[in-house]
Each structure stands twice: as C-alpha cells, then as structure tokens.
Amino acid sequence: MDDDDGEGVINAAVMVKLEPDLSEGNVSYNPDGTLNRSQTKNILGPHSAIACRAAMYAKVCYDAWVGACSMGPPTAEIALKDAMVICCADELHLYSDRIFAGADTLATAETIKHGIMKMGRRIDLVFSGHRAVDGETGQTGPQTAWKLGFNFIGNVIEYSIDLRSRMINARRKVDLPGLYTIIEDVECPLPALIALDPSYRDNYRKVSERLRYARLEKEARKRAEDYKSYLRIWSAKDLGVDVRYIGLAGSPTIVYKVEKIPKAKASRRAKVVDPNNVEELREIGNLILNIALGER
Amino acid sequence: MDRFDAVIVGGGSAGLAALMELSKLGIQAVLLESGKPIGSKSVTGGILYSKNYPNGKVYNVEDIYPDFLDEAPVERRITRYYLNALSGSKVYTVDLSEAHEYRTNFAYSVLMSRLNKWFAARAEEEAAKMGGGIIEGVHVRDIVWMDDGRGSRNSIIVTDELEEFGARAIIAADGVNSEVALISNARGKFEPEALYQGVKCIVRLPEDVMDERFNISSDEGVAHLFAGDISKGHNGGGFLYTNRDTLSVGLVYHLDSLLKSPIEPYNLLNEFLTIPVVTNYIVDEVAVPKELDRTLPKEEQLRIRFGLSRLLKQYEELRYTYYSKHARLDAIRRGLYSNEDEIKTRLEEVRGRLEREYGVTFAKNYVEMEYSCKLVPDGKRAMMGKPYKNNILFIGDAAGKGIFLGTRIEGINIGIDDAARAARAVAMAKKMNNFSEDYMGRYYTQLVEESPYTDDIRRIDFEYMKIFVRACGNIPLEPFPLFLRLAFMLIQKTAVQELAAAIARMMAQSTLLKIIESNDAYVRIPMEVARKVGSEVKPIAEVRPLSIDERIARLKIREDEVPHIRIKDPRSRFIKAMVHLCPTRCYMMEASEEMEGKEEVGKGEGVKTEARLKAVVSNVILQHEGCIECGTCSGETEWRHTRGEKGIVYEYG
Ligand SMILES: Cc1cc2nc3c(=O)[nH]c(=O)nc-3n(C[C@H](O)[C@H](O)[C@H](O)COP(=O)(O)OP(=O)(O)OC[C@H]3O[C@@H](n4cnc5c(N)ncnc54)[C@H](O)[C@@H]3O)c2cc1C
Ligand code: SF4
C-alpha cells in the first residue's frame, strides 16, 4: 500500500446539527407555530450525515484526524454520537450553554469558529452540510468559513486532497434552475471549509480504501458505544467567546414571527387500484413514467 | 497502486478458508467476492464432512475455524445415510450409514449461503489483524502480467469496480465456472463429461414434524439418496437432506448425459417431488385461502387481501414457533410468550379466525422456499493436473476438485483442504521471495499431491466399495448383469473380498468407472431391485410443485444491464440444448425467415421485386435477465459472471 505517507497530516472538523426527524412525520408544533422540540424526535440531520460521510472519506483516504462538533442543547450529544458512527470521529465537541440560545446563523458561526480554534490542533479542513431540515440555515457553513478566514467551496459532490501542495480539488454541482446543471472542478489551498451537496457520493475505488473503510466502520461502531469518553462539552466561558457576538445578543437577524404556510387542502386525488388489474397498473406505470420524464 | 502479498478471487467456502489460513500464517491477504453479501452466490447440496485418513493429514473445517463445532450455524449432524432404489411407487432402501461413517469424523448438513457468512466473519476478523480483509461486490475481470525488468513478473488485477492493483500471489477460488482459469490459460473449459448439473430446492418443514417424520432427535439428521426411474433414463440421482427446519431436495446429473437428450431440470425436479416416497417426506399442512369474490367493491377486496395476508403471516410464525423445540424455547426466553400452552392457544385462535373470517381451509402440500442450480466438477475427470499458472494457485471447484462417485458426494471439504495447502505454499513463497510458477506453483502441487484426497479422487477406494457392497448384501442378484453379479457374489463372500478387490484393482480405472457410472448402475439395476424386492409406498397426500415461473418470481436477481453471456453460434446443437437445460429458461428458440434472391411479381406497372423465402430457420436467443449463473451454458458461450453485486442472491444456497 502506498497511500499512507505522512500520518495525521490533515486535521479535519465536521460541523453537525441535531434536527427533528421529519421523515417520521411525528413533528409537533408549539401554539406560536415554532417547532416543539421536546415533542419531536431528534436525530442527526440528514445533511450533517452527508458531511460526516465526507469526513470519513478524509479519514479513509488521507488518514485525517476528525473532530465532530455541534452547537446545541445537551441532548445534541446524540447527534454527535450518530456522527461518530458515520465518520469514526476522534473527538466530539458540544458547545452547549444557555447563552448560545436564540443564535442566528452568524452567531452560530461565531461559536463554532471558537470551537474549531480550540480543538487543540491546526484545523485544515472543515465539512458542513448543505443546510438543515428545520431552517434554511445554509449560510452557517460559509459564514463560519468567513469568520475562520478559510476558503469556501459549496455544493461539493466529490473531492480530493493533494497532501504535498496542500490543495483541495473539488467537484461542485451547480443547478441553474430552469436551465441546466453544470459540474465545476475547482481547487483552492487549505485551510478550507466545504459544504456538501445532497448528491455527494463517496467513491472508494482502491482496495486499500475499501479495507480501511471496513476497518474504520467497525472501529466507529465500537467508539460510539463509548462515545461519552470522547465527548467534551464547552460552555461560552470555556470557549472564551465574546458574549456580544453570540446567542441572541450576537444575532443581527431575529425571527419575530413564524407562520406556517398551510398545505394546500386535500389536493391529492386518491384512487384505489386493483393489483390484479393489468389495465389499471399500466395506467399507473404510464403516470409514473410521465412524472419521471417531467411531462406531467 | 495498491499491492498485496496475496489476493484471493472468490469467497466461497474454499476462498474463505484460504483467507483464514493466510492470515493465520501472517500474510496480508485480500479476498474479492462478486456477490454481495458474501454467500449470495453459493450453492451446495449439501453435507460438509470432516475426514481422517491413515496415510496422511487432511485439513478439516475445524482445523481452519477452531470454534466451528461450538459456534458455526450448521444444520444437523448427519448420522444416518440411505440409498433408495426407486421404481414407480416402489422403493428398496439400503442403509449406507456405515459407508457414510467411513473415515468420517463428523458430517453436518449445511446451507451454504448462511455458513459462508459465518466463515466470512471469522476470516475477516483474522485478516484484519494482518491488514487484509474481504471486499464484497467486486468482480475480477482480468489479470495482466508485466515484467518488472528484474526477471519476475508483476500481476495486476483488473475489476469492474475498483482501480487496478497488484498481487504477488493469486489464489483462484472462483468456483466451477472459473474465469481466472480461462483468463490465465491455465486450462480450457471443463468438458461436459467432467461436469454434473445440480438442481435443488429448499423445502420448509417445522422442526418437530421433521424429528418425528424421520424418527430422529432434534440434533440428528438423515441423508437420503435416490436412484432408479427418477431420471428419465439419464445418469444421475436424487438427494434429500434434513436441515434444522428445512429440507434440501435435489438432483444431480451428468451433463453429457443431459446434453444427449436434453430435458428441463425443473421438470425433473417436479417429477422427483411427486414420487410418493419423496412426497411423503416433504408434505406439510398449508393454508389455502379462498378465491376472492370479485363482485365485492374494490376497497373491500383490498381490505380482505391485506387482512388475510397479515393473519396468514402471524399463523406461519406461530406454527413454526410452536412446532419447533428451539424456536419455542427461544420465544419463551425472549418473553414473547409465557409458556408453550400460550403459543398453542394463540395458534388455535389465529387458525380459527382464518377459517371463520376468511374462509381459509387447510390442506396437504409442500412449502418451497428457494430454487437453485449450479454445475459441479467431477474430480476424477476435471481435477487439474497442474493446479497453477504463473503466480496463480487454483483451489476447490475452480481446480476441478470433488469426489462424486456413486454415493460419495464431497466437494466443500476438499476445497478447504486445498485452501490450507495453497496458503502454506504462498507463505513459503513469501519467505523465499519467489512467487514464480517454478517455485510456488510446484511447491503447491507437491502439497496437493501429499493430500490423501488427491489419491482418493484419482482412484476408486476399494475399502469403501467393500462396505458399500456389504450394505447391499441382502439384495437379490438376479437383476444384475452377469459381470456385476459375479463381482458382487465374490465380494459378498468375506473370504474372497481381498481377492476380488485385487482383481478390481488390476482393471484399468476407466473400465471400472464405465461399470460404476453406467446407465445400468444409475437406472436399470436400482429399478429392477425396487421392482423385484421393493415395497410399495402409498402417498399420504398430493403435492403441487411450483412452476418454473413461480420459482423465478421468488428468486432475488439484481439485473445486470450489461449482458454477461454471449452466444457464439445460435444454431449449434449445444446451444439448442440450452433451451431445455437452462434452469431458469433464459434460452428460447426463435424462428426466423431466411430470404434469398429477388423475384419479379405482378405485371405492367405493378411489377415489384420480392425476396424469396429460402428457409425458416430456428435461432436460439438468450435473455440473460433471469440467469442464476449456474454455468450450464458456459461450454459454448462467451461466459462471465455478472458484475459485482449484480445477479442472483441466494438466501439459503
Ligand atoms: C447441487 C449440489 C450438491 C452438492 N452437494 C455437496 C455435498 O453434499 N457435499 C459437499 O462437500 N459438496 C457438495 N457439492 C459441491 C460443493 O458445493 C462445492 O464443491 C463447493 O461449494 C465449492 O466451493 P468453492 O469455494 O470452490 O466454490 P464456490 O462456492 O462456487 O465459490 C466461488 C465464489 O467465487 C465467486 N466468483 C466467481 N468468479 C468471480 C470473479 N471473477 N470475481 C469475484 N468473485 C468471483 C462466486 O461469486 C462464488 O462466491 C454440491 C454442489 C452442488 C451444486
Ligand atoms: S443462462 Fe444462466 S442460468 Fe441459464 S444455463 Fe446459462 S448460466 Fe445457467
């Protein structure tokens, strides 16, 4: 195997978020329209999970050290545990303090910046998800990059690192709505923060990578059973943040009203189909085909 | 580029044992298996033997996996072994348990897909210690050799899924349809004379019912072989083995015999299942739902269908729990039920509801779980004399191994023995830093020659034959051809057994084989014996075997859009035979019109030229989508396995 020159050359961080499990449909709301977080089951957000896969890729292919971090309530340690299963994180950092509450994306970025700077090693690469499912918070990643002074690449679907020149090569997918989708290959020097596109695919094409992946996957499951011993919880004081820039106080944007857009009422027409009736099945087949071909 | 000391192609029982042994010997080894999960392409009959020989050591499964006897998910320990001669509904049974015990430490019935998963978990754990492991879903497509400029040759493995990588030693464990053997030119394809086609189905039967029916305790198992008029005159026979709560039921035929007068394997299987003695073993009580009233509103029809299928599932689960000692205890231990009576009450309740609410009736039939088919190499004709090429060592089915002679059926154990020897050869090659054909290949051949199995494959074991003949002691000899009658008579007399054996030993092996594997031995004699001295077996019920379409519908096949088989000559005799012999009906005959010349028709302005019909010819076409990679058609096609993860996924195997 010839891929392991220079151990621990890359130090990476992955920022993740605890989010309501919208897939289950068991979301509940407060009377004021905000999410009732205590009633809704929370998990590692799906976009965060993609960021973790990208972090695992760095671990497998570049032997990276990976720290997973999250800002959130104490229960967010579950998100970090889930993250650990995916990326085999070496450390878990949770930034949890009442004072962080009410943070918008900029204030969150401020907290995470301090967290990343306090990971105890020079971080070269940060991974973030595309956005969160419980809020259009796609700017947290770029804002964190900006605060850290890192280069930023968004919508990444594939990446590689040149360890010698310390450059990251990324392929990004740019959807031009109504027009077409373009694939861009970009490169920039480290340190950098990359946000992963939902269509990110890790592609382990080397035998050594597959073997390392299998090994790390096992290791990750083992670590996650004992995740608390990898976990450090940071308060605002521990992080040494300036309270003017974090939490509600540090948030220039304030959500002062939440209104649900009512779902169009019963716009679904349902028809019971007899699974033995070939004609009806054919009709459905055509319908699906039309939708798939975009000729609805 | 990645480079490894040892790369194993194929994760069947042989390849996995090689990985385990190499890792134990401190070698970093990587195993590539095209199926995913591992075991999904494995098929066996099958009974796994552990053997002992006075003239040397064989490497047994428990030598490779030290916790095998305590932990492995084997089915039942086979303690009784019978040969049944059949003619119509008459059967004459010979107890061959002594022959089965001959040089046997133990024998277990196994389901190969499941057992290989266990082997894989063990081997992977061991391999990880050396930085090796298993990669599933990768199909090896090519191997390229390049001179390294220093007198030795580097081999590069090319797959459909991964970047190319280097290997110092390669162990080909890719089964009977080995692509590595052809890529490397180590041998040609096996001839039909050297192959069997095995076809099989898994039949479900509750554990307690099985114990009672076969008169065995829950840890014992029985093997039944069948010969006689089950084959439509082809050379081959049937088998039925007891697993924990399933039966493995199938047939194995000489491929050359099938090619001579092609016949559908699934039809043969179905006839086999409906022979009274077999039917009586497989029959079970099954729920028969009432025909749905089509005049009911559609919503109501759907409600009934869903309700019924849920309740039927519950019934099945309850029944298999109640009628299985292991499942019953397990369910109580897990707190699902407080005691046996509760399970029984629940079962009766659900059964009552099925009858009352859904008009379900209960009838005798059998429950088929999985259909499978695979070629088997006949060791005495297929075994490679030189089981190596360049830096490749061949093991198991890929090397044409196997003892398939009359009532002896052994393949898994021999592949495992090969694996241990190949691993030792690679370890030695590494020590001497010489992976050449001349060193590693020859050293491996020497180790294989030392294996008692090698001799056993080449020569008929007369000790075994004597035991066999003794077991047949009570058979009247009139139906036998004169020669055999004399031989039997001699051999039955203990005093002249040695003499008879000596005479037989003097005969050329091929002459003896001609007698043992003659149509007389497979078909005529068993039929005569059953007819003359067999007893009549009355079927306790009728079973309705599944149609081939129903079977295919139950198989899990991940379609590979890229065809992996190409017909060479659509009109050859061989390929026409495949229309019958393909176990999943992938081959079809298509009539096409062959035109010639041009002819003027019509008069004046309406003159047209038309081609003249020369002949209607029939071509064979292939639809590879339903292929289960048995290899039957590989003889005269460009044949490969599907790409990684694609194709058949067996659950039992
Ligand atoms: C019906 C039947 C009954 C039998 N009964 C018995 C019995 O009772 N007792 C007994 O001992 N033996 C029996 N045998 C024989 C026994 O099953 C075989 O000898 C044994 O399973 C062979 O193991 P193997 O590892 O050599 O090959 P296989 O189990 O065939 O494994 C080969 C593996 O290689 C993989 N592969 C192939 N090509 C590639 C490639 N290019 N790249 C990557 N992977 C590849 C395949 O997917 C497969 O998993 C029976 C066989 C059959 C068919
Ligand atoms: S097409 Fe597939 S299933 Fe049919 S004979 Fe060939 S290998 Fe077997």
Side-chain angles (χ1 to χ4, degrees):
Chain A
M1 294 200 289
D2 56 6
D3 71 331
D4 46 7
D5 39 8
E7 223 185 41
V9 168
I10 295 286
N11 294 313
V14 54
M15 38 199 276
V16 304
K17 192 164 179 286
L18 182 75
E19 293 171 23
D21 184 2
L22 299 184
S23 67
E24 304 235 335
N26 51 3
V27 192
S28 95
Y29 293 93
N30 293 317
D32 68 354
T34 51
L35 262 174
N36 180 343
R37 291 186 180 267
S38 61
Q39 291 292 306
T40 306
K41 189 186 163 205
N42 289 313
I43 55 163
L44 175 74
H47 294 283
S48 296
I50 294 170
C52 291
R53 285 200 348 242
M56 179 69 147
Y57 187 77
K59 221 176 162 61
V60 171
C61 300
Y62 308 107
D63 205 11
W65 176 94
V66 173
C69 62
S70 183
M71 190 193 88
T75 50
E77 65 177 51
I78 287 304
L80 286 170
K81 181 189 174 189
D82 290 351
M84 189 172 221
V85 174
I86 303 174
C87 69
C88 193
D90 298 281
E91 283 176 19
L92 306 176
H93 297 264
L94 176 62
Y95 316 127
S96 193
D97 195 320
R98 280 184 184 279
I99 207 166
F100 296 145
D104 69 0
T105 54
L106 196 66
T108 305
E110 177 69 14
T111 306
I112 292 177
K113 174 190 91 174
H114 280 273
I116 286 175
M117 282 166 47
K118 283 234 150 53
M119 276 189 178
R121 46 183 81 211
R122 175 207 76 236
I123 298 295
D124 308 289
L125 186 56
V126 181
F127 299 96
S128 94
H130 185 59
R131 62 188 193 88
V133 294
D134 61 343
E136 288 292 344
T137 53
Q139 62 276 43
T140 313
Q143 284 171 340
T144 309
W146 170 68
K147 291 212 171 207
L148 283 164
F150 281 21
N151 292 312
F152 175 79
I153 311 175
N155 295 81
V156 171
I157 55 170
E158 218 180 291
Y159 76 92
S160 64
I161 301 171
D162 186 331
L163 292 174
R164 237 152 282 152
S165 61
R166 303 194 64 75
M167 297 285 277
I168 176 159
N169 258 288
R171 177 162 284 185
R172 50 197 306 261
K173 184 171 143 193
V174 186
D175 270 322
L176 303 175
L179 282 172
Y180 40 76
T181 303
I182 55 173
I183 302 287
E184 278 180 3
D185 286 327
V186 296
E187 63 170 22
C188 74
L190 295 174
L193 187 149
I194 64 175
L196 285 307
D197 192 81
S199 58
Y200 168 80
R201 290 275 168 276
D202 37 35
N203 191 3
Y204 298 108
R205 295 264 307 157
K206 282 188 178 169
V207 173
S208 52
E209 293 169 358
R210 294 268 186 123
L211 292 175
R212 268 179 69 76
Y213 180 81
R215 221 159 30 241
L216 288 169
E217 212 185 12
K218 262 200 203 113
E219 169 73 20
R221 278 197 296 269
K222 211 170 87 198
R223 284 186 187 181
E225 278 173 20
D226 180 32
Y227 74 98
K228 281 193 199 262
S229 60
Y230 295 83
L231 176 70
R232 168 145 190 215
I233 301 174
W234 301 72
S235 66
K237 207 169 126 222
D238 299 336
L239 287 178
V241 287
D242 185 334
V243 291
R244 285 173 304 166
Y245 300 129
I246 55 155
L248 202 58
S251 299
T253 51
I254 291 174
V255 182
Y256 69 91
K257 188 176 174 206
V258 177
E259 238 177 78
K260 275 192 285 175
I261 303 175
K263 285 236 166 73
K265 239 189 188 156
S267 63
R268 270 187 302 173
R269 272 179 299 139
K271 187 180 170 208
V272 178
V273 178
D274 178 359
N276 291 326
N277 186 324
V278 180
E279 267 315 302
E280 286 185 10
L281 287 180
R282 186 167 298 142
E283 220 173 88
I284 297 197
N286 284 335
L287 216 71
I288 294 173
L289 218 61
N290 286 342
I291 294 170
L293 298 171
E295 303 169 0
R296 207 195 302 218
Chain B
M1 191 196 289
D2 285 343
R3 189 147 178 249
F4 299 92
D5 279 342
V7 170
I8 302 157
V9 184
S13 47
L16 291 166
L19 179 63
M20 187 77 186
E21 286 299 276
L22 280 166
S23 309
K24 282 196 221 159
L25 291 165
I27 305 226
Q28 183 191 30
V30 175
L31 183 148
L32 306 169
E33 163 58 42
S34 84
K36 186 171 181 177
I38 213 146
S40 57
K41 310 243 178 229
S42 313
V43 181
T44 192
I47 298 174
L48 167 55
Y49 282 91
S50 165
K51 312 269 305 189
N52 56 71
Y53 284 82
N55 58 332
K57 170 162 182 54
V58 289
Y59 294 93
N60 283 316
V61 64
E62 73 277 18
D63 300 326
I64 313 289
Y65 307 94
D67 56 348
F68 176 82
L69 283 167
D70 299 321
E71 303 278 334
V74 288
E75 298 296 313
R76 286 172 186 258
R77 189 170 184 139
I78 299 297
T79 51
R80 276 183 273 150
Y81 202 88
Y82 299 104
L83 173 62
N84 300 273
L86 298 172
S87 175
S89 55
K90 285 184 119 180
V91 55
Y92 182 84
T93 305
V94 181
D95 186 345
L96 288 181
S97 301
E98 195 192 337
H100 163 75
E101 294 293 341
Y102 172 69
R103 289 187 178 158
T104 297
N105 301 320
F106 59 78
Y108 280 101
S109 55
V110 299
L111 294 166
M112 210 67 244
S113 296
R114 294 184 177 179
L115 186 58
N116 275 345
K117 286 191 182 73
W118 185 86
F119 286 154
R122 289 295 183 276
E124 186 160 42
E125 206 175 291
E126 198 64 39
K129 293 180 193 162
M130 299 315 307
I134 296 176
I135 306 176
E136 303 168 325
V138 173
H139 172 243
V140 172
R141 177 159 42 94
D142 205 358
I143 301 172
V144 196
W145 283 270
M146 285 195 302
D147 288 326
D148 69 351
R150 278 169 292 155
S152 67
R153 300 174 81 197
N154 286 330
S155 57
I156 295 169
I157 312 255
V158 185
T159 68
D160 284 326
E161 293 79 14
L162 300 174
E163 277 177 20
E164 296 173 359
F165 60 96
R168 301 185 80 188
I170 300 170
I171 294 184
D174 52 342
V176 60
N177 305 305
S178 170
E179 286 168 63
V180 174
L182 304 183
I183 293 167
S184 64
N185 250 324
R187 60 166 166 82
K189 292 181 181 177
F190 292 132
E191 294 296 324
E193 295 73 33
L195 290 167
Y196 298 92
Q197 186 195 55
V199 57
K200 163 182 148 176
C201 67
I202 298 288
V203 173
R204 199 169 169 184
L205 198 67
E207 198 180 320
D208 291 0
V209 176
M210 179 125 50
D211 293 352
E212 196 185 314
R213 183 165 300 167
F214 291 90
N215 191 19
I216 46 181
S217 78
S218 69
D219 296 318
E220 281 179 304
V222 181
H224 279 281
L225 300 184
F226 300 86
D229 72 343
I230 49 171
S231 61
K232 295 265 181 272
H234 294 86
N235 291 354
F239 62 87
L240 182 148
Y241 305 142
T242 56
N243 303 318
R244 174 130 323 279
D245 59 2
T246 55
L247 295 166
S248 294
V249 188
L251 298 160
V252 178
Y253 286 104
H254 286 264
L255 187 59
D256 53 339
S257 167
L258 288 172
L259 280 166
K260 257 180 225 143
S261 56
I263 181 161
E264 291 72 11
Y266 37 92
N267 289 344
L268 277 176
L269 183 63
N270 285 357
E271 288 190 25
F272 184 52
L273 295 173
T274 49
I275 291 170
V277 56
V278 177
T279 296
N280 290 356
Y281 284 136
I282 64 172
V283 75
D284 192 16
E285 187 185 80
V286 295
V288 188
K290 191 171 77 172
E291 190 73 27
L292 201 60
D293 181 357
R294 300 243 168 251
T295 61
L296 289 172
K298 277 185 186 155
E299 283 76 4
E300 179 59 8
Q301 288 190 31
L302 265 187
R303 190 194 64 77
I304 295 176
R305 199 170 294 154
F306 288 143
L308 177 62
S309 76
R310 225 187 357 248
L311 206 58
L312 276 174
K313 203 163 164 244
Q314 260 183 39
Y315 173 73
E316 285 263 296
E317 276 172 20
L318 273 164
R319 183 161 180 271
Y320 276 85
T321 308
Y322 182 67
Y323 287 107
S324 148
K325 191 175 109 195
H326 286 87
R328 218 161 43 220
L329 292 176
D330 190 50
I332 295 169
R333 194 175 44 77
R334 286 191 294 143
L336 297 175
Y337 307 96
S338 50
N339 53 38
E340 287 188 11
D341 283 342
E342 189 188 335
I343 310 177
K344 190 175 180 200
T345 319
R346 289 276 299 127
L347 177 63
E348 279 163 5
E349 207 176 278
V350 174
R351 188 185 162 111
R353 278 187 60 199
L354 278 171
E355 284 171 329
R356 282 191 313 277
E357 295 171 27
Y358 295 96
V360 170
T361 52
F362 293 86
K364 298 265 184 252
N365 203 343
Y366 83 116
V367 186
E368 186 175 316
M369 308 298 287
E370 183 176 87
Y371 168 74
S372 58
C373 180
K374 183 89 164 239
L375 289 185
V376 193
D378 176 3
K380 54 196 175 294
R381 299 184 176 91
M383 181 166 69
M384 289 168 80
K386 244 180 76 179
Y388 60 88
K389 181 77 192 238
N390 300 340
N391 58 341
I392 311 176
L393 309 179
F394 290 84
I395 66 172
D397 280 17
K401 291 297 181 72
I403 300 177
F404 296 90
L405 185 66
T407 49
R408 279 192 73 184
I409 305 174
E410 293 172 41
I412 315 169
N413 50 331
I414 300 172
I416 288 174
D417 179 66
D418 270 358
R421 289 168 200 277
R424 277 154 182 77
V426 172
M428 184 57 102
K430 180 164 184 204
K431 194 168 147 208
M432 306 306 286
N433 194 24
N434 188 349
F435 293 85
S436 69
E437 198 175 279
D438 272 347
Y439 184 75
M440 184 174 73
R442 286 197 182 177
Y443 183 60
Y444 171 57
T445 310
Q446 188 189 323
L447 293 181
V448 169
E449 286 298 328
E450 284 166 14
S451 172
Y453 283 139
T454 304
D455 200 39
D456 214 359
I457 292 172
R458 285 205 188 107
R459 269 176 282 278
I460 293 165
D461 184 337
F462 296 101
E463 286 306 311
Y464 179 89
M465 280 304 176
K466 277 197 277 185
I467 302 173
F468 179 88
V469 171
R470 260 207 309 277
C472 300
N474 296 329
I475 299 178
L477 296 177
E478 299 81 70
F480 293 72
L482 182 65
F483 172 80
L484 267 186
R485 204 188 312 168
L486 277 172
F488 263 64
M489 263 162 26
L490 275 173
I491 251 172
Q492 278 174 8
K493 295 208 189 334
T494 326
V496 287
Q497 264 176 19
E498 284 309 324
L499 178 69
I503 295 171
R505 269 187 212 107
M506 281 189 304
M507 292 170 64
Q509 181 87 352
S510 56
T511 317
L512 261 178
L513 272 183
K514 260 190 208 133
I515 299 165
I516 295 171
E517 296 194 325
S518 65
N519 198 261
D520 273 348
Y522 275 115
V523 186
R524 211 180 65 76
I525 298 173
M527 275 179 74
E528 282 294 293
V529 168
R531 206 168 55 79
K532 293 225 167 92
V533 288
S535 47
E536 187 79 26
V537 174
K538 289 217 164 39
I540 51 176
E542 255 179 44
V543 294
R544 190 192 67 83
L546 295 185
S547 71
I548 185 59
D549 292 333
E550 288 169 312
R551 285 186 172 128
I552 296 171
R554 286 170 189 212
L555 286 174
K556 184 165 165 195
I557 301 176
R558 296 197 198 110
E559 193 185 320
D560 189 354
E561 320 79 66
V562 183
H564 57 288
I565 304 172
R566 266 193 200 83
I567 295 179
K568 286 193 207 147
D569 176 4
R571 294 183 199 169
S572 76
R573 212 181 112 91
F574 179 94
I575 220 71
K576 282 182 180 159
M578 291 307 129
V579 175
H580 304 281
L581 292 183
C582 172
T584 47
R585 274 215 311 230
C586 294
Y587 286 88
M588 263 169 300
M589 200 68 104
E590 190 187 58
S592 65
E593 294 177 343
E594 197 167 85
M595 304 305 220
E596 109 188 311
K598 284 191 175 140
E599 194 174 79
E600 291 197 349
V601 287
K603 278 190 185 131
E605 295 219 322
V607 167
K608 278 190 285 183
T609 55
E610 266 182 13
R612 207 170 347 105
L613 181 69
K614 183 184 164 202
V616 176
V617 290
S618 41
N619 283 324
V620 173
I621 54 165
L622 165 68
Q623 287 183 321
H624 71 277
E625 291 83 356
C627 174
I628 53 174
E629 295 151 72
C630 72
T632 303
C633 67
S634 63
E636 291 186 16
T637 52
E638 285 172 31
W639 198 98
R640 285 176 170 281
H641 294 86
T642 55
R643 290 175 302 162
E645 289 188 46
K646 308 280 185 188
I648 182 70
V649 181
Y650 287 122
E651 195 190 320
Y652 295 89

